[in-house]
Amino acid sequence: RKEVEQDPGPFNVPEGATVAFNCTYSNSASQSFFWYRQDCRKEPKLLMSVYSSGNEDGRFTAQLNRASQYISLLIRDSKLSDSATYLCVVTGGATNKLIFGTGTLLAVQP
Amino acid sequence: GAGVSQSPSNKVTEKGKDVELRCDPISGHTALYWYRQRLGQGLEFLIYFQGNSAPDKSGLPSDRFSAERTGESVSTLTIQRTQQEDSAVYLCASSLVTRGGGELFFGEGSRLTVL
């Protein structure tokens, strides 16, 4: 089983739609969780950290379910500029290194 | 510049040659990571530095791959006797916080093509 698993998509949604991505992780000892965004042929950039209590940043909401070992990202009122690959990132291993999922591709259509 | 700098940005080499990729992290960042991203794939962890030591080298694919970091700054990733399957973008990232707790800042990557 992969350490971090995501549905690769693509998710094709119209502008204004709400879309949700899930990510599962295998190591119950993981301590930190993040969502990164990667535009085509660009480097990844931090979108938001994920906290146990859940957190919101404008149109983006992230949640963590430790019992089921999954993380979610909800995007409301999708914009064309949200089109990108969304990477789930989890700490793991003895050194708490950052492990990336393979990403979920989102394409927002006009 | 204030960001993570990688060089070369593009490298084309012949199978069997050695290549060296360089990463200049953000000044003061203790943690440094190398990842590999093949075309259309996710980020594959290679190695993690904490200061000048590498507590986690578990992602290096073979003994042809090695990396070092000096002065808690510049890191070099060396690939010996390159193979076609080594073709990928090699991404370096640094963080102020060790042990995975902080934001990773990535360089633009070094695109390696092995003919």
Side-chain angles (χ1 to χ4, degrees):
Chain A
R1 183 184 172 187
K2 287 184 181 177
E3 292 178 277
V4 182
E5 294 203 62
Q6 296 183 250
D7 180 346
F11 283 60
N12 295 299
V13 302
E15 272 186 289
T18 295
V19 62
F21 308 133
N22 284 334
C23 163
T24 58
Y25 60 95
S26 62
N27 186 349
S28 60
S30 293
Q31 298 176 8
S32 300
F33 309 89
F34 308 89
W35 284 101
Y36 276 69
R37 169 190 169 135
Q38 186 174 26
D39 292 302
C40 187
R41 300 180 77 85
K42 296 284 192 180
E43 71 275 18
K45 292 185 179 177
L46 179 66
L47 178 66
M48 60 198 301
S49 301
V50 185
Y51 304 119
S52 297
S53 54
N55 48 302
E56 189 173 308
D57 182 2
R59 298 180 294 107
F60 298 82
T61 301
Q63 294 198 314
L64 168 64
N65 184 318
R66 284 189 184 272
S68 300
Q69 293 179 209
Y70 79 80
I71 305 152
S72 65
L73 177 68
L74 182 79
I75 305 175
R76 291 181 298 277
D77 187 23
S78 298
K79 311 291 185 190
L80 293 175
S81 57
D82 294 334
S83 297
T85 296
Y86 290 84
L87 301 164
C88 174
V89 185
V90 173
T91 55
T95 57
N96 271 346
K97 63 178 182 275
L98 287 159
I99 302 167
F100 282 71
T102 52
T104 298
L105 178 62
L106 171 66
V108 181
Q109 316 286 342
Chain B
V4 176
S5 176
Q6 290 188 246
S7 62
S9 54
N10 274 288
K11 175 73 175 178
V12 179
T13 191
E14 292 180 349
K15 179 180 170 181
K17 301 282 191 185
D18 297 352
V19 296
E20 195 171 276
L21 308 176
R22 176 188 167 107
C23 172
D24 267 288
I26 293 172
S27 179
H29 279 197
T30 304
L32 187 147
Y33 292 77
W34 282 98
Y35 292 90
R36 177 170 71 178
Q37 188 169 34
R38 292 192 168 109
L39 189 63
Q41 308 279 317
L43 273 73
E44 179 185 358
F45 169 80
L46 297 179
I47 188 169
Y48 161 58
F49 285 94
Q50 189 168 302
N52 290 339
S53 65
D56 197 328
K57 308 179 184 179
S58 61
L60 293 177
S62 75
D63 59 7
R64 296 186 296 104
F65 287 71
S66 63
E68 64 175 18
R69 188 179 184 192
T70 55
E72 294 202 357
S73 179
V74 172
S75 176
T76 53
L77 176 69
T78 302
I79 309 172
Q80 295 179 308
R81 305 181 302 282
T82 51
Q83 304 294 312
Q84 288 184 330
E85 64 261 26
D86 298 335
S87 297
V89 175
Y90 290 82
L91 289 160
C92 174
S94 70
S95 177
L96 192 58
V97 180
T98 58
R99 298 186 65 77
E103 179 177 359
L104 280 184
F105 294 85
F106 282 85
E108 294 185 348
S110 290
R111 183 176 300 276
L112 174 65
T113 303
V114 182
L115 301 176

